[in-house]
Amino acid sequence: MTITPDPAQGIHPYPAQTTIGRASVADGPGGPRHAAGGPGHRDTPGGPQTTAGTAARRRSRETRLMVALFLGPALVLLLVLVCYPIVYTLWLSFRSGDGSRFVGFDNYIEMFTSSNTRRAILNNLVWVIVAPSVVTTLGLIFAVLTERLRRSAVLKAVLFMPMAISFLAAGVTFRLVYDENPDRGVLNAAVVSVHDAFVSPSRYHGVDAREQGELVPMNDGFQSRGPVNPGEPVRLALVGLPPDRIPTDAKPATAPTGGPGLQGVVWLDFSRGGGGRAGTVDAGEVGLPQMTVEAVADGGTVVATTRTDAAGRFAFPNLTSGPYVIRLPADNFTEPFNGVSWLGPTLITPAVIGAYIWIWAGFAMVLVSAGLAALPREALEAARMDGANEWQTFRHVTVPLVRPVLAVVLVTLTINVLKIFDLVYVLAPESSQDDATVVALEMYRVSFGGGLDYGLGSALAVLLFALVLPAMLFNIRRLRRDS
Amino acid sequence: MSHTTIGTVPELMPAGTARGGRPRPGPWIRFMMRFGKALLRLLAVLIGVFWLLPTFGLAVASLRSSADNSATGWWTVFTAPAQLTLDNYAQVLQNERIVESLWNTVLITVPSTLLVVLLGALGAYALAWLDFPGRDWLFVLVVALIVVPVQVAIVPDARIFRALGIYGEISAVIAFHVAFGLPFAIFLLRNFFLNIPRDLLEAARIDGAREMVIFARVVLPIGWPAIASLAIFQFLWVWNDLLVALVFATSDNAPITYALREQMRSFSSNLDTIGPGAFLSMLVPLVVFFAFQRYFVQGVLAGSGK
C-alpha cells in the first residue's frame, strides 16, 4: 500500500514526463533506435545482407501499409477533431458572433474591454500567481514531513485521494464546507465559534423600546428619554425578545424599591397571554439580567457603569446628585456574527483556490517525495557533519537539489490552472459566477451558456491557446534536445 | 556554538548529558529532542484530519435526512448518531435520472478508454518501430498537441458532429474524448515502446512474424505497465469530465457529473440528492485509487501535464 512512485520499477522516468519526456527518450544509454544510428537502418540490421532488392521493396510496401493501418485511425481523429478545429477557431475569432461577417480584431478588443471577460482574465492572473506556488510549497512541506515519519503511507494516501475524485465532486464537497449558514457549513461553524469565544454574542439583539416608554433608540443602543434624578426609580421597558431567547436565569421583574443613589429596572414589558399595562412592571414579566447600564453626566461623559441583576434591577449607589441620562449601550444589542460569506462576490476566487489547493497538494507532495527520495544521501550527511542544523540543511542543500522537481511541479500546475473550468463552474453559485469567472469558464459561458457569441468565445479560446503555447514550445524543445 | 540539532548525531549527544565541555543544550533544543518526533506525528495527524474533513462531512451529510441537514450541522452526529440513515441512497437509487446518468458515465468512459489505449498503442508502435518519411515530424506534432486546451476545439467540433448527425449522442462525446486523449497516449506509449530491446523485435521479424503479431505478442505484453497507467489515467479523466459532456451531450445522454451539476442550482434543498449522487460517482474512482494505487499514481503523475 505504498503510494510512492518507485523510480526503479514500472514506467520509469515518470516525474519527468509530467512536463513531457525529459529523460524518457534519451533514457538508458541511448534509446534503442538511436543506438542503431537513426532511422533507415532497420532493413540492414547486420542480419542477412543477401536479401534481394525485390524482397526489400515488398517489405517497404508492406511497411507503408502497416503505417497506414497502425497510425491511420489516430491520425485521422487528430487531424479532424484537433488540428482542423484550431485553425477554424482562429478563423471564427475574427468573425461576428454568428460567424456571418468579418469583424477584424473586434472580438479581441471586446475581450480586453468588456467587464466580464476582463474580470475572467484578471481572475486567471490571480489564479496563476497564487495557486501553483501555494500548492508547490505545501507539497514540499508535506513531502519533507512524510519523509521524516515512519508510517506515512496513510497520510500520503489521504493527501493524494482528492486527485481521484472529479472537480464536480470536489465542488459539491466544498459547497458544503463553505456554506454560509454556520449550522451547515463547517468552516463558518468554526469561524463563528472562534469569533464568539473572543466577542461574546449579545443576548438582546433585535429588541425594541416600548413605545411611549422611558427609552428611546440611540446609536444602536437605547437611552432614557430625558435626564433622571437619583431617588426617582427608572423603569426601562423593552419589547420584542422572542420567548426562546429569554435568558434562563431571568427572574420575574420587580420594581425598584428605592434606596441610595440612582436605581432602576430593565425588563421585558410583555406578559405572556396578554394583560399587563405598558410601562408598568406587571406580574409575570421578567427582568433582563446582565444588561450593561451606563449613567451619563451632562457633558456626555459616562460617570458610572453597572449591570442588571437576575431580576433586571440596577443601582448606582454613589450617584447622589443628578441629573443623569441612563443609557443601555449598543454592545447589549449587537447582531450576532453569522459567519463569512465565502461564496459571495468578494471572497469567491480565494475560496475556489482553497478547494483547488486541497485537490492538488497531494499531487505536488508525491512528485516532490520522489525527488527527495532520489537525493544523494552523502550531500545531506556532509552538510550535517559540517554542523549545519536541520533548517540550514533544508534551505541550502535539500531545496537547491530538488529545485528541478519543484520547477516541473510549478510548470505543470500553471498549465493546469490556466485551463481551470469545472471547479469554478461548480463551486461558484450562479450569483457569484460573474465575479469568479476565469478564461476557460467565460469561453464556455459566452459560446454556450446562452450567449451563443462564437466570435468572442473563439477569441477567448485563442487567448487560452496562446497562453499554453510556451509550454508547448518548451516540450518540443526538450524533445529535440533529448533526441 | 552548539552543534546539537534536532535528532541528529545522537551518538555524540546522549540524552541529557553534557560531555567534554560541550555546553548542555538549551531547554528548547532539549524539548525538541524529546518531543520533536511526537510533535511531527501530531502535526501529521492534524493535517490528515484536516484533509479528510471535507469529504467526511459530505459523507455524513449524505447519510442524514434533509430535515436534519437544514436544521443542524453534520457534526452533530457525534452526539446523536441515530440521525444516520440510508434513506437518501435508497431514494437516489430509485431516481431514474441519477441511475441513468451513472450508466451513461459507464457507456462513455469504457469505450473512450479502450479506444484511446488501442489506437494510442497502435500509433505509438508505428512511431517507435516502423520506418517512414516524416515520422519524426509527426511525433513532434503529437507532442505539440498534448497541451492544447479543449476550448480551442469545442465550437468547431460541435459543428462537425452536427454535420455528421451525432451531435448530442454518446458517440460524439466518446469521439471527442478519444481525439483529445490520443496525443498523450501516443507520446507515453511510444517512449515506453522505444525501450523494448531492439533484438527482441528483430528476432521476431527475422522469424517472419507480421507486424501485427509482433505488436500483439511482443510489444503489448512488455508495454503492460505503461498501458495500465495510461488506461487508469484516461479512465479517470473521462469519468470525471464535465465540460465535454456539457457541450456535446444532450440531457438524455448526460453523464453523472452533468446530472449532478443540474441539481446544484439549489444546493441546500437538493443536498439529499447531490450528496449521495456525488458519493456514488466517486465510488469507482476511489476503488480504482485503492485497488491500483501504484498504477494510479503513475497514471495521474504522467498525465497531469495534459
Side-chain angles (χ1 to χ4, degrees), chain A residues 61-263:
Chain A
R61 207 179 318 124
E62 195 188 326
T63 304
R64 231 171 295 150
L65 187 71
M66 283 299 140
V67 171
L69 207 68
F70 275 73
L71 205 52
L75 213 55
V76 168
L77 278 172
L78 285 179
L79 289 179
V80 175
L81 294 181
V82 185
C83 293
Y84 161 71
I86 296 175
V87 183
Y88 194 177
T89 296
L90 194 62
W91 183 76
L92 276 176
S93 73
F94 292 103
R95 316 227 12 127
S96 60
D98 55 0
S100 60
R101 64 206 157 71
F102 179 78
V103 295
F105 282 93
D106 283 6
N107 288 320
Y108 291 92
I109 294 168
E110 189 184 350
M111 178 169 79
F112 286 108
T113 49
S114 122
S115 68
N116 268 3
T117 43
R118 245 207 1 224
R119 177 86 264 158
I121 294 168
L122 290 177
N123 277 345
N124 240 140
L125 195 67
V126 172
W127 270 89
V128 167
I129 292 170
V130 176
S133 51
V134 173
V135 170
T136 309
T137 311
L138 269 183
L140 178 62
I141 292 172
F142 291 167
V144 171
L145 178 68
T146 50
E147 197 204 20
R148 309 192 134 257
L149 294 172
R150 230 173 304 136
R151 285 185 297 273
S152 59
V154 176
L155 179 64
K156 280 190 171 184
V158 165
L159 290 175
F160 197 69
M161 188 206 60
M163 287 295 298
I165 68 177
S166 60
F167 277 128
L168 176 109
V172 170
T173 306
F174 273 82
R175 265 288 183 96
L176 189 61
V177 169
Y178 287 136
D179 201 298
E180 199 174 341
N181 181 350
D183 278 334
R184 211 170 21 240
V186 70
L187 193 57
N188 264 348
V191 169
V192 166
S193 54
V194 167
H195 178 274
D196 290 352
F198 290 100
V199 185
S200 56
S202 80
R203 294 168 130 182
Y204 301 117
H205 58 90
V207 299
D208 276 320
R210 164 63 85 192
E211 274 175 58
Q212 314 299 326
E214 284 183 43
L215 280 176
V216 288
M218 194 261 176
N219 287 347
D220 296 331
F222 300 94
Q223 70 177 24
S224 56
R225 196 175 287 276
V228 292
N229 285 304
E232 309 166 4
V234 194
R235 295 188 180 82
L236 303 176
L238 290 168
V239 292
L241 189 68
D244 61 317
R245 293 227 326 265
I246 294 173
T248 47
D249 54 342
K251 292 209 172 103
T254 47
T257 46
L262 207 163
Q263 304 215 352

